[in-house]
Amino acid sequence: MSTARTSPERRALAVEIRAKGRRLEGYAATFNNPAHIGGRFVETIAPGAFAASLRAKGDILALVDHDPGRVLARTRSGSLRLAEDAHGLAFDLDVPDTSAGRDVLALAERGDLGGMSFGFTAFDEHRDGDRRELRGVELHEISVVLAWPAYDGTVIQARSLETAAPFRRYAERALKLLELSR
């Protein structure tokens, strides 16, 4: 069933975020990863859900906690780069030398970020009882989430070039524990 929504929705998930100098990269969304949304339904994102937004070449923002007063990057300026791959919606952004940028970078280097989120309007979705699959969305923004994301089940990992090894071991152990718990 296709539906049109008028108000933007937001979803957050814990994902891998890497600090590389003054850049952050990782995934703003992952495909086929079930999320329990507000105790009301289980939602997944289908591969290709962001394709139309990425082809449209509109201006998509990178924010902190969905706050338009804390812009980190945008596609229009080239400081935010987005792409879909087999895993999900990949991002790469240049962190600005602003108070918001310095705060996010410091938290990423320490491993203190909660995850990533995205703001969207669904234009193609499929519902089956308490399950919802997003098949096509208009992407408005991605956000660095400082606290708790909505999408559980993945690992957030922040690393600088000097500290990658300890975080990688932690992520591998966490992923093994997650697989065993399924």
Side-chain angles (χ1 to χ4, degrees):
M1 163 171 106
S2 286
T3 60
R5 298 220 183 271
T6 56
S7 59
E9 298 181 55
R10 294 183 176 128
R11 295 294 182 269
L13 63 159
V15 295
E16 181 176 343
I17 302 173
R18 292 178 298 279
K20 298 179 89 177
R22 293 212 49 89
R23 286 182 32 221
L24 289 179
E25 61 181 31
Y27 286 90
T30 54
F31 297 137
N32 301 313
N33 182 20
H36 297 272
I37 306 299
R40 300 177 313 197
F41 57 93
V42 176
E43 182 177 84
T44 58
I45 305 165
F50 301 100
S53 283
L54 298 179
R55 277 193 309 270
K57 305 268 189 216
D59 191 24
I60 300 168
L61 303 177
L63 306 173
V64 178
D65 285 330
H66 302 286
D67 182 350
R70 295 191 288 171
V71 175
L72 294 174
R74 62 190 325 142
T75 56
R76 184 179 67 206
S77 69
S79 56
L80 172 62
R81 293 154 302 277
L82 298 167
E84 273 192 344
D85 63 19
H87 187 67
L89 178 63
F91 74 91
D92 179 19
L93 69 88
D94 303 321
V95 180
D97 190 16
T98 62
S99 58
R102 288 186 298 273
D103 290 350
V104 165
L105 193 56
L107 291 170
E109 289 170 347
R110 286 175 26 151
D112 290 341
L113 292 178
M116 289 298 295
S117 181
F118 59 101
F120 67 98
T121 303
F123 62 81
D124 186 6
E125 65 180 28
H126 175 75
R127 287 188 182 259
D128 184 11
D130 67 345
R131 299 205 172 267
R132 178 187 189 201
E133 180 182 56
L134 298 174
R135 295 179 174 174
V137 301
E138 179 185 353
L139 183 63
H140 304 294
E141 49 93 6
I142 66 169
S143 282
V144 174
V145 177
L146 300 181
W148 299 283
Y151 274 66
D152 292 327
T154 56
V155 176
I156 183 165
Q157 181 178 4
R159 56 185 144 161
S160 66
L161 295 176
E162 298 81 30
T163 60
F167 286 110
R168 189 176 303 113
R169 285 191 301 276
Y170 169 76
E172 289 168 356
R173 279 187 300 221
L175 286 172
K176 285 178 187 173
L177 288 172
L178 177 64
E179 288 299 316
L180 291 174
S181 70
R182 287 186 179 172

PDB file of all heavy atoms in Angstrom, residues 18-26 61-63 70-82 91-98 100-102 104-105 142 144:
ATOM      1  N   ARG A  18      32.484   7.046  12.484  1.00  0.00           N
ATOM      2  CA  ARG A  18      33.931   7.143  12.614  1.00  0.00           C
ATOM      3  C   ARG A  18      34.362   8.598  12.493  1.00  0.00           C
ATOM      4  O   ARG A  18      33.930   9.306  11.589  1.00  0.00           O
ATOM      5  CB  ARG A  18      34.612   6.309  11.532  1.00  0.00           C
ATOM      6  CG  ARG A  18      34.408   4.830  11.711  1.00  0.00           C
ATOM      7  CD  ARG A  18      35.047   4.039  10.592  1.00  0.00           C
ATOM      8  NE  ARG A  18      34.480   4.347   9.282  1.00  0.00           N
ATOM      9  CZ  ARG A  18      33.350   3.843   8.810  1.00  0.00           C
ATOM     10  NH1 ARG A  18      32.647   3.026   9.533  1.00  0.00           N
ATOM     11  NH2 ARG A  18      32.930   4.154   7.602  1.00  0.00           N
ATOM     12  N   ALA A  19      35.218   9.018  13.391  1.00  0.00           N
ATOM     13  CA  ALA A  19      35.836  10.333  13.303  1.00  0.00           C
ATOM     14  C   ALA A  19      37.166  10.155  12.587  1.00  0.00           C
ATOM     15  O   ALA A  19      37.985   9.344  12.987  1.00  0.00           O
ATOM     16  CB  ALA A  19      36.068  10.910  14.701  1.00  0.00           C
ATOM     17  N   LYS A  20      37.348  10.861  11.497  1.00  0.00           N
ATOM     18  CA  LYS A  20      38.582  10.766  10.709  1.00  0.00           C
ATOM     19  C   LYS A  20      39.073  12.185  10.481  1.00  0.00           C
ATOM     20  O   LYS A  20      38.640  12.837   9.543  1.00  0.00           O
ATOM     21  CB  LYS A  20      38.316  10.059   9.378  1.00  0.00           C
ATOM     22  CG  LYS A  20      37.833   8.627   9.537  1.00  0.00           C
ATOM     23  CD  LYS A  20      37.575   7.996   8.208  1.00  0.00           C
ATOM     24  CE  LYS A  20      38.858   7.362   7.750  1.00  0.00           C
ATOM     25  NZ  LYS A  20      38.702   6.647   6.479  1.00  0.00           N
ATOM     26  N   GLY A  21      39.920  12.641  11.374  1.00  0.00           N
ATOM     27  CA  GLY A  21      40.347  14.037  11.286  1.00  0.00           C
ATOM     28  C   GLY A  21      39.170  14.923  11.607  1.00  0.00           C
ATOM     29  O   GLY A  21      38.549  14.785  12.640  1.00  0.00           O
ATOM     30  N   ARG A  22      38.799  15.816  10.701  1.00  0.00           N
ATOM     31  CA  ARG A  22      37.624  16.674  10.897  1.00  0.00           C
ATOM     32  C   ARG A  22      36.456  16.179  10.061  1.00  0.00           C
ATOM     33  O   ARG A  22      35.648  16.950   9.581  1.00  0.00           O
ATOM     34  CB  ARG A  22      37.961  18.124  10.563  1.00  0.00           C
ATOM     35  CG  ARG A  22      38.965  18.696  11.564  1.00  0.00           C
ATOM     36  CD  ARG A  22      38.823  20.159  11.826  1.00  0.00           C
ATOM     37  NE  ARG A  22      37.502  20.637  12.115  1.00  0.00           N
ATOM     38  CZ  ARG A  22      36.948  20.710  13.335  1.00  0.00           C
ATOM     39  NH1 ARG A  22      37.606  20.264  14.383  1.00  0.00           N
ATOM     40  NH2 ARG A  22      35.752  21.204  13.499  1.00  0.00           N
ATOM     41  N   ARG A  23      36.372  14.856   9.884  1.00  0.00           N
ATOM     42  CA  ARG A  23      35.265  14.255   9.141  1.00  0.00           C
ATOM     43  C   ARG A  23      34.596  13.189   9.984  1.00  0.00           C
ATOM     44  O   ARG A  23      35.249  12.533  10.795  1.00  0.00           O
ATOM     45  CB  ARG A  23      35.776  13.611   7.849  1.00  0.00           C
ATOM     46  CG  ARG A  23      36.142  14.604   6.792  1.00  0.00           C
ATOM     47  CD  ARG A  23      36.597  13.975   5.496  1.00  0.00           C
ATOM     48  NE  ARG A  23      35.984  12.707   5.171  1.00  0.00           N
ATOM     49  CZ  ARG A  23      36.670  11.678   4.660  1.00  0.00           C
ATOM     50  NH1 ARG A  23      37.958  11.762   4.441  1.00  0.00           N
ATOM     51  NH2 ARG A  23      36.051  10.558   4.370  1.00  0.00           N
ATOM     52  N   LEU A  24      33.315  13.024   9.770  1.00  0.00           N
ATOM     53  CA  LEU A  24      32.573  11.907  10.338  1.00  0.00           C
ATOM     54  C   LEU A  24      32.029  11.098   9.178  1.00  0.00           C
ATOM     55  O   LEU A  24      31.615  11.661   8.161  1.00  0.00           O
ATOM     56  CB  LEU A  24      31.394  12.385  11.184  1.00  0.00           C
ATOM     57  CG  LEU A  24      31.686  13.056  12.507  1.00  0.00           C
ATOM     58  CD1 LEU A  24      30.379  13.483  13.165  1.00  0.00           C
ATOM     59  CD2 LEU A  24      32.454  12.134  13.426  1.00  0.00           C
ATOM     60  N   GLU A  25      32.018   9.797   9.341  1.00  0.00           N
ATOM     61  CA  GLU A  25      31.417   8.946   8.326  1.00  0.00           C
ATOM     62  C   GLU A  25      30.765   7.768   9.004  1.00  0.00           C
ATOM     63  O   GLU A  25      31.093   7.423  10.139  1.00  0.00           O
ATOM     64  CB  GLU A  25      32.445   8.492   7.292  1.00  0.00           C
ATOM     65  CG  GLU A  25      33.575   7.684   7.856  1.00  0.00           C
ATOM     66  CD  GLU A  25      34.583   7.285   6.786  1.00  0.00           C
ATOM     67  OE1 GLU A  25      34.772   8.035   5.818  1.00  0.00           O
ATOM     68  OE2 GLU A  25      35.178   6.208   6.959  1.00  0.00           O
ATOM     69  N   GLY A  26      29.822   7.174   8.329  1.00  0.00           N
ATOM     70  CA  GLY A  26      29.119   6.023   8.871  1.00  0.00           C
ATOM     71  C   GLY A  26      27.824   5.814   8.132  1.00  0.00           C
ATOM     72  O   GLY A  26      27.721   6.099   6.937  1.00  0.00           O
ATOM     73  N   LEU A  61      20.243  18.267   4.845  1.00  0.00           N
ATOM     74  CA  LEU A  61      21.089  18.803   5.915  1.00  0.00           C
ATOM     75  C   LEU A  61      21.597  17.691   6.825  1.00  0.00           C
ATOM     76  O   LEU A  61      20.949  16.661   6.978  1.00  0.00           O
ATOM     77  CB  LEU A  61      20.292  19.791   6.764  1.00  0.00           C
ATOM     78  CG  LEU A  61      19.658  20.973   6.046  1.00  0.00           C
ATOM     79  CD1 LEU A  61      18.844  21.803   7.032  1.00  0.00           C
ATOM     80  CD2 LEU A  61      20.704  21.822   5.382  1.00  0.00           C
ATOM     81  N   ALA A  62      22.725  17.957   7.474  1.00  0.00           N
ATOM     82  CA  ALA A  62      23.210  17.144   8.588  1.00  0.00           C
ATOM     83  C   ALA A  62      23.110  18.045   9.816  1.00  0.00           C
ATOM     84  O   ALA A  62      23.695  19.133   9.845  1.00  0.00           O
ATOM     85  CB  ALA A  62      24.649  16.698   8.369  1.00  0.00           C
ATOM     86  N   LEU A  63      22.346  17.589  10.814  1.00  0.00           N
ATOM     87  CA  LEU A  63      22.074  18.385  12.008  1.00  0.00           C
ATOM     88  C   LEU A  63      22.526  17.641  13.261  1.00  0.00           C
ATOM     89  O   LEU A  63      22.862  16.467  13.210  1.00  0.00           O
ATOM     90  CB  LEU A  63      20.567  18.657  12.125  1.00  0.00           C
ATOM     91  CG  LEU A  63      19.866  19.284  10.925  1.00  0.00           C
ATOM     92  CD1 LEU A  63      18.358  19.333  11.153  1.00  0.00           C
ATOM     93  CD2 LEU A  63      20.411  20.676  10.658  1.00  0.00           C
ATOM     94  N   ARG A  70      21.634  23.890  14.668  1.00  0.00           N
ATOM     95  CA  ARG A  70      22.956  23.260  14.785  1.00  0.00           C
ATOM     96  C   ARG A  70      23.268  22.463  13.515  1.00  0.00           C
ATOM     97  O   ARG A  70      23.302  21.251  13.515  1.00  0.00           O
ATOM     98  CB  ARG A  70      23.013  22.377  16.031  1.00  0.00           C
ATOM     99  CG  ARG A  70      22.882  23.189  17.317  1.00  0.00           C
ATOM    100  CD  ARG A  70      23.196  22.385  18.544  1.00  0.00           C
ATOM    101  NE  ARG A  70      22.125  21.418  18.811  1.00  0.00           N
ATOM    102  CZ  ARG A  70      22.205  20.466  19.726  1.00  0.00           C
ATOM    103  NH1 ARG A  70      23.285  20.334  20.448  1.00  0.00           N
ATOM    104  NH2 ARG A  70      21.201  19.643  19.912  1.00  0.00           N
ATOM    105  N   VAL A  71      23.493  23.200  12.441  1.00  0.00           N
ATOM    106  CA  VAL A  71      23.811  22.591  11.151  1.00  0.00           C
ATOM    107  C   VAL A  71      25.284  22.181  11.146  1.00  0.00           C
ATOM    108  O   VAL A  71      26.158  22.971  11.487  1.00  0.00           O
ATOM    109  CB  VAL A  71      23.531  23.574   9.995  1.00  0.00           C
ATOM    110  CG1 VAL A  71      23.982  23.002   8.664  1.00  0.00           C
ATOM    111  CG2 VAL A  71      22.051  23.944   9.958  1.00  0.00           C
ATOM    112  N   LEU A  72      25.525  20.946  10.741  1.00  0.00           N
ATOM    113  CA  LEU A  72      26.896  20.450  10.610  1.00  0.00           C
ATOM    114  C   LEU A  72      27.365  20.486   9.160  1.00  0.00           C
ATOM    115  O   LEU A  72      28.533  20.765   8.895  1.00  0.00           O
ATOM    116  CB  LEU A  72      26.998  19.016  11.137  1.00  0.00           C
ATOM    117  CG  LEU A  72      26.773  18.812  12.627  1.00  0.00           C
ATOM    118  CD1 LEU A  72      26.764  17.329  12.961  1.00  0.00           C
ATOM    119  CD2 LEU A  72      27.835  19.549  13.421  1.00  0.00           C
ATOM    120  N   ALA A  73      26.457  20.175   8.226  1.00  0.00           N
ATOM    121  CA  ALA A  73      26.841  20.094   6.814  1.00  0.00           C
ATOM    122  C   ALA A  73      25.570  20.062   5.981  1.00  0.00           C
ATOM    123  O   ALA A  73      24.468  19.899   6.504  1.00  0.00           O
ATOM    124  CB  ALA A  73      27.681  18.845   6.558  1.00  0.00           C
ATOM    125  N   ARG A  74      25.746  20.188   4.652  1.00  0.00           N
ATOM    126  CA  ARG A  74      24.605  20.091   3.738  1.00  0.00           C
ATOM    127  C   ARG A  74      25.092  19.647   2.375  1.00  0.00           C
ATOM    128  O   ARG A  74      26.230  19.915   1.985  1.00  0.00           O
ATOM    129  CB  ARG A  74      23.824  21.387   3.681  1.00  0.00           C
ATOM    130  CG  ARG A  74      24.575  22.560   3.174  1.00  0.00           C
ATOM    131  CD  ARG A  74      23.871  23.914   3.338  1.00  0.00           C
ATOM    132  NE  ARG A  74      22.445  23.862   3.188  1.00  0.00           N
ATOM    133  CZ  ARG A  74      21.595  24.596   3.935  1.00  0.00           C
ATOM    134  NH1 ARG A  74      22.053  25.429   4.841  1.00  0.00           N
ATOM    135  NH2 ARG A  74      20.305  24.507   3.738  1.00  0.00           N
ATOM    136  N   THR A  75      24.191  18.972   1.655  1.00  0.00           N
ATOM    137  CA  THR A  75      24.573  18.466   0.336  1.00  0.00           C
ATOM    138  C   THR A  75      24.798  19.603  -0.657  1.00  0.00           C
ATOM    139  O   THR A  75      25.649  19.492  -1.535  1.00  0.00           O
ATOM    140  CB  THR A  75      23.524  17.481  -0.212  1.00  0.00           C
ATOM    141  OG1 THR A  75      22.241  18.116  -0.243  1.00  0.00           O
ATOM    142  CG2 THR A  75      23.471  16.220   0.645  1.00  0.00           C
ATOM    143  N   ARG A  76      24.037  20.683  -0.537  1.00  0.00           N
ATOM    144  CA  ARG A  76      24.158  21.799  -1.480  1.00  0.00           C
ATOM    145  C   ARG A  76      25.574  22.365  -1.536  1.00  0.00           C
ATOM    146  O   ARG A  76      26.080  22.704  -2.595  1.00  0.00           O
ATOM    147  CB  ARG A  76      23.153  22.906  -1.130  1.00  0.00           C
ATOM    148  CG  ARG A  76      23.157  24.057  -2.122  1.00  0.00           C
ATOM    149  CD  ARG A  76      22.154  25.118  -1.762  1.00  0.00           C
ATOM    150  NE  ARG A  76      22.564  25.774  -0.526  1.00  0.00           N
ATOM    151  CZ  ARG A  76      21.745  26.371   0.324  1.00  0.00           C
ATOM    152  NH1 ARG A  76      20.452  26.396   0.101  1.00  0.00           N
ATOM    153  NH2 ARG A  76      22.208  26.929   1.410  1.00  0.00           N
ATOM    154  N   SER A  77      26.229  22.443  -0.387  1.00  0.00           N
ATOM    155  CA  SER A  77      27.591  22.997  -0.338  1.00  0.00           C
ATOM    156  C   SER A  77      28.658  21.939  -0.613  1.00  0.00           C
ATOM    157  O   SER A  77      29.826  22.272  -0.775  1.00  0.00           O
ATOM    158  CB  SER A  77      27.859  23.624   1.028  1.00  0.00           C
ATOM    159  OG  SER A  77      27.939  22.620   2.029  1.00  0.00           O
ATOM    160  N   GLY A  78      28.255  20.671  -0.623  1.00  0.00           N
ATOM    161  CA  GLY A  78      29.221  19.590  -0.812  1.00  0.00           C
ATOM    162  C   GLY A  78      29.885  19.137   0.469  1.00  0.00           C
ATOM    163  O   GLY A  78      30.730  18.233   0.450  1.00  0.00           O
ATOM    164  N   SER A  79      29.514  19.719   1.618  1.00  0.00           N
ATOM    165  CA  SER A  79      30.113  19.317   2.891  1.00  0.00           C
ATOM    166  C   SER A  79      29.469  18.040   3.449  1.00  0.00           C
ATOM    167  O   SER A  79      29.979  17.448   4.387  1.00  0.00           O
ATOM    168  CB  SER A  79      30.028  20.452   3.915  1.00  0.00           C
ATOM    169  OG  SER A  79      28.692  20.874   4.102  1.00  0.00           O
ATOM    170  N   LEU A  80      28.342  17.616   2.871  1.00  0.00           N
ATOM    171  CA  LEU A  80      27.682  16.357   3.222  1.00  0.00           C
ATOM    172  C   LEU A  80      27.549  15.530   1.951  1.00  0.00           C
ATOM    173  O   LEU A  80      27.037  16.008   0.937  1.00  0.00           O
ATOM    174  CB  LEU A  80      26.293  16.608   3.812  1.00  0.00           C
ATOM    175  CG  LEU A  80      25.410  15.372   4.046  1.00  0.00           C
ATOM    176  CD1 LEU A  80      26.035  14.419   5.058  1.00  0.00           C
ATOM    177  CD2 LEU A  80      24.018  15.800   4.502  1.00  0.00           C
ATOM    178  N   ARG A  81      28.024  14.296   2.034  1.00  0.00           N
ATOM    179  CA  ARG A  81      27.918  13.370   0.915  1.00  0.00           C
ATOM    180  C   ARG A  81      27.127  12.145   1.372  1.00  0.00           C
ATOM    181  O   ARG A  81      27.411  11.599   2.436  1.00  0.00           O
ATOM    182  CB  ARG A  81      29.311  12.982   0.415  1.00  0.00           C
ATOM    183  CG  ARG A  81      30.009  14.208  -0.218  1.00  0.00           C
ATOM    184  CD  ARG A  81      31.518  14.155  -0.191  1.00  0.00           C
ATOM    185  NE  ARG A  81      32.144  14.036   1.103  1.00  0.00           N
ATOM    186  CZ  ARG A  81      32.396  15.075   1.943  1.00  0.00           C
ATOM    187  NH1 ARG A  81      32.027  16.292   1.638  1.00  0.00           N
ATOM    188  NH2 ARG A  81      33.021  14.871   3.091  1.00  0.00           N
ATOM    189  N   LEU A  82      26.130  11.757   0.581  1.00  0.00           N
ATOM    190  CA  LEU A  82      25.250  10.640   0.907  1.00  0.00           C
ATOM    191  C   LEU A  82      25.235   9.651  -0.244  1.00  0.00           C
ATOM    192  O   LEU A  82      25.294  10.046  -1.413  1.00  0.00           O
ATOM    193  CB  LEU A  82      23.816  11.135   1.135  1.00  0.00           C
ATOM    194  CG  LEU A  82      23.599  12.098   2.292  1.00  0.00           C
ATOM    195  CD1 LEU A  82      22.219  12.751   2.193  1.00  0.00           C
ATOM    196  CD2 LEU A  82      23.748  11.380   3.620  1.00  0.00           C
ATOM    197  N   PHE A  91      26.931   8.035   4.941  1.00  0.00           N
ATOM    198  CA  PHE A  91      27.190   9.466   4.921  1.00  0.00           C
ATOM    199  C   PHE A  91      28.666   9.726   5.183  1.00  0.00           C
ATOM    200  O   PHE A  91      29.367   8.917   5.775  1.00  0.00           O
ATOM    201  CB  PHE A  91      26.334  10.215   5.954  1.00  0.00           C
ATOM    202  CG  PHE A  91      26.793  10.015   7.374  1.00  0.00           C
ATOM    203  CD1 PHE A  91      27.708  10.871   7.963  1.00  0.00           C
ATOM    204  CD2 PHE A  91      26.304   8.960   8.119  1.00  0.00           C
ATOM    205  CE1 PHE A  91      28.147  10.676   9.262  1.00  0.00           C
ATOM    206  CE2 PHE A  91      26.735   8.751   9.427  1.00  0.00           C
ATOM    207  CZ  PHE A  91      27.652   9.613   9.994  1.00  0.00           C
ATOM    208  N   ASP A  92      29.099  10.873   4.739  1.00  0.00           N
ATOM    209  CA  ASP A  92      30.458  11.370   4.960  1.00  0.00           C
ATOM    210  C   ASP A  92      30.308  12.874   5.044  1.00  0.00           C
ATOM    211  O   ASP A  92      29.775  13.491   4.123  1.00  0.00           O
ATOM    212  CB  ASP A  92      31.344  10.951   3.785  1.00  0.00           C
ATOM    213  CG  ASP A  92      32.777  11.431   3.899  1.00  0.00           C
ATOM    214  OD1 ASP A  92      33.214  11.779   5.011  1.00  0.00           O
ATOM    215  OD2 ASP A  92      33.459  11.470   2.858  1.00  0.00           O
ATOM    216  N   LEU A  93      30.704  13.473   6.158  1.00  0.00           N
ATOM    217  CA  LEU A  93      30.524  14.920   6.296  1.00  0.00           C
ATOM    218  C   LEU A  93      31.776  15.574   6.849  1.00  0.00           C
ATOM    219  O   LEU A  93      32.511  14.982   7.638  1.00  0.00           O
ATOM    220  CB  LEU A  93      29.297  15.257   7.142  1.00  0.00           C
ATOM    221  CG  LEU A  93      29.260  14.957   8.633  1.00  0.00           C
ATOM    222  CD1 LEU A  93      29.821  16.112   9.450  1.00  0.00           C
ATOM    223  CD2 LEU A  93      27.830  14.731   9.055  1.00  0.00           C
ATOM    224  N   ASP A  94      32.004  16.791   6.404  1.00  0.00           N
ATOM    225  CA  ASP A  94      33.099  17.613   6.893  1.00  0.00           C
ATOM    226  C   ASP A  94      32.596  18.357   8.122  1.00  0.00           C
ATOM    227  O   ASP A  94      31.611  19.107   8.031  1.00  0.00           O
ATOM    228  CB  ASP A  94      33.542  18.615   5.819  1.00  0.00           C
ATOM    229  CG  ASP A  94      33.956  17.924   4.531  1.00  0.00           C
ATOM    230  OD1 ASP A  94      34.587  16.859   4.606  1.00  0.00           O
ATOM    231  OD2 ASP A  94      33.633  18.456   3.447  1.00  0.00           O
ATOM    232  N   VAL A  95      33.228  18.148   9.266  1.00  0.00           N
ATOM    233  CA  VAL A  95      32.789  18.766  10.515  1.00  0.00           C
ATOM    234  C   VAL A  95      33.255  20.220  10.544  1.00  0.00           C
ATOM    235  O   VAL A  95      34.452  20.499  10.382  1.00  0.00           O
ATOM    236  CB  VAL A  95      33.347  18.002  11.735  1.00  0.00           C
ATOM    237  CG1 VAL A  95      32.897  18.650  13.034  1.00  0.00           C
ATOM    238  CG2 VAL A  95      32.912  16.539  11.693  1.00  0.00           C
ATOM    239  N   PRO A  96      32.325  21.163  10.758  1.00  0.00           N
ATOM    240  CA  PRO A  96      32.713  22.572  10.767  1.00  0.00           C
ATOM    241  C   PRO A  96      33.434  22.952  12.058  1.00  0.00           C
ATOM    242  O   PRO A  96      33.253  22.304  13.093  1.00  0.00           O
ATOM    243  CB  PRO A  96      31.369  23.306  10.666  1.00  0.00           C
ATOM    244  CG  PRO A  96      30.399  22.382  11.340  1.00  0.00           C
ATOM    245  CD  PRO A  96      30.882  20.990  11.007  1.00  0.00           C
ATOM    246  N   ASP A  97      34.211  23.996  11.993  1.00  0.00           N
ATOM    247  CA  ASP A  97      34.884  24.520  13.182  1.00  0.00           C
ATOM    248  C   ASP A  97      33.946  25.503  13.880  1.00  0.00           C
ATOM    249  O   ASP A  97      34.186  26.707  13.937  1.00  0.00           O
ATOM    250  CB  ASP A  97      36.212  25.191  12.800  1.00  0.00           C
ATOM    251  CG  ASP A  97      37.044  25.537  14.019  1.00  0.00           C
ATOM    252  OD1 ASP A  97      36.764  25.001  15.112  1.00  0.00           O
ATOM    253  OD2 ASP A  97      37.976  26.359  13.883  1.00  0.00           O
ATOM    254  N   THR A  98      32.830  24.953  14.374  1.00  0.00           N
ATOM    255  CA  THR A  98      31.834  25.708  15.135  1.00  0.00           C
ATOM    256  C   THR A  98      31.702  25.038  16.493  1.00  0.00           C
ATOM    257  O   THR A  98      32.214  23.932  16.695  1.00  0.00           O
ATOM    258  CB  THR A  98      30.465  25.679  14.427  1.00  0.00           C
ATOM    259  OG1 THR A  98      30.017  24.311  14.358  1.00  0.00           O
ATOM    260  CG2 THR A  98      30.534  26.283  13.022  1.00  0.00           C
ATOM    261  N   ALA A 100      29.059  23.603  17.741  1.00  0.00           N
ATOM    262  CA  ALA A 100      28.361  22.331  17.538  1.00  0.00           C
ATOM    263  C   ALA A 100      29.296  21.300  16.909  1.00  0.00           C
ATOM    264  O   ALA A 100      29.325  20.139  17.331  1.00  0.00           O
ATOM    265  CB  ALA A 100      27.124  22.527  16.654  1.00  0.00           C
ATOM    266  N   GLY A 101      30.068  21.704  15.918  1.00  0.00           N
ATOM    267  CA  GLY A 101      31.000  20.791  15.255  1.00  0.00           C
ATOM    268  C   GLY A 101      32.069  20.285  16.196  1.00  0.00           C
ATOM    269  O   GLY A 101      32.374  19.085  16.221  1.00  0.00           O
ATOM    270  N   ARG A 102      32.656  21.182  16.989  1.00  0.00           N
ATOM    271  CA  ARG A 102      33.695  20.757  17.932  1.00  0.00           C
ATOM    272  C   ARG A 102      33.128  19.820  18.991  1.00  0.00           C
ATOM    273  O   ARG A 102      33.762  18.837  19.370  1.00  0.00           O
ATOM    274  CB  ARG A 102      34.357  21.982  18.569  1.00  0.00           C
ATOM    275  CG  ARG A 102      35.262  22.751  17.613  1.00  0.00           C
ATOM    276  CD  ARG A 102      36.031  23.870  18.289  1.00  0.00           C
ATOM    277  NE  ARG A 102      35.177  24.905  18.859  1.00  0.00           N
ATOM    278  CZ  ARG A 102      34.710  25.970  18.202  1.00  0.00           C
ATOM    279  NH1 ARG A 102      35.015  26.138  16.919  1.00  0.00           N
ATOM    280  NH2 ARG A 102      33.952  26.858  18.788  1.00  0.00           N
ATOM    281  N   VAL A 104      30.474  17.749  18.713  1.00  0.00           N
ATOM    282  CA  VAL A 104      30.195  16.448  18.104  1.00  0.00           C
ATOM    283  C   VAL A 104      31.484  15.686  17.852  1.00  0.00           C
ATOM    284  O   VAL A 104      31.571  14.484  18.134  1.00  0.00           O
ATOM    285  CB  VAL A 104      29.384  16.634  16.791  1.00  0.00           C
ATOM    286  CG1 VAL A 104      29.394  15.364  15.962  1.00  0.00           C
ATOM    287  CG2 VAL A 104      27.964  17.050  17.116  1.00  0.00           C
ATOM    288  N   LEU A 105      32.493  16.367  17.358  1.00  0.00           N
ATOM    289  CA  LEU A 105      33.768  15.699  17.083  1.00  0.00           C
ATOM    290  C   LEU A 105      34.399  15.174  18.369  1.00  0.00           C
ATOM    291  O   LEU A 105      34.880  14.036  18.406  1.00  0.00           O
ATOM    292  CB  LEU A 105      34.714  16.662  16.370  1.00  0.00           C
ATOM    293  CG  LEU A 105      35.953  16.053  15.750  1.00  0.00           C
ATOM    294  CD1 LEU A 105      35.594  14.949  14.769  1.00  0.00           C
ATOM    295  CD2 LEU A 105      36.768  17.128  15.060  1.00  0.00           C
ATOM    296  N   ILE A 142      19.677  14.281   7.977  1.00  0.00           N
ATOM    297  CA  ILE A 142      20.224  13.265   8.867  1.00  0.00           C
ATOM    298  C   ILE A 142      20.712  14.011  10.101  1.00  0.00           C
ATOM    299  O   ILE A 142      21.011  15.210  10.023  1.00  0.00           O
ATOM    300  CB  ILE A 142      21.368  12.451   8.215  1.00  0.00           C
ATOM    301  CG1 ILE A 142      22.594  13.320   7.934  1.00  0.00           C
ATOM    302  CG2 ILE A 142      20.871  11.767   6.947  1.00  0.00           C
ATOM    303  CD1 ILE A 142      23.833  12.523   7.551  1.00  0.00           C
ATOM    304  N   VAL A 144      23.059  13.686  13.885  1.00  0.00           N
ATOM    305  CA  VAL A 144      23.848  13.014  14.906  1.00  0.00           C
ATOM    306  C   VAL A 144      23.004  13.050  16.174  1.00  0.00           C
ATOM    307  O   VAL A 144      22.520  14.107  16.572  1.00  0.00           O
ATOM    308  CB  VAL A 144      25.196  13.735  15.132  1.00  0.00           C
ATOM    309  CG1 VAL A 144      25.947  13.120  16.297  1.00  0.00           C
ATOM    310  CG2 VAL A 144      26.033  13.716  13.860  1.00  0.00           C
TER     311      VAL A 144
END
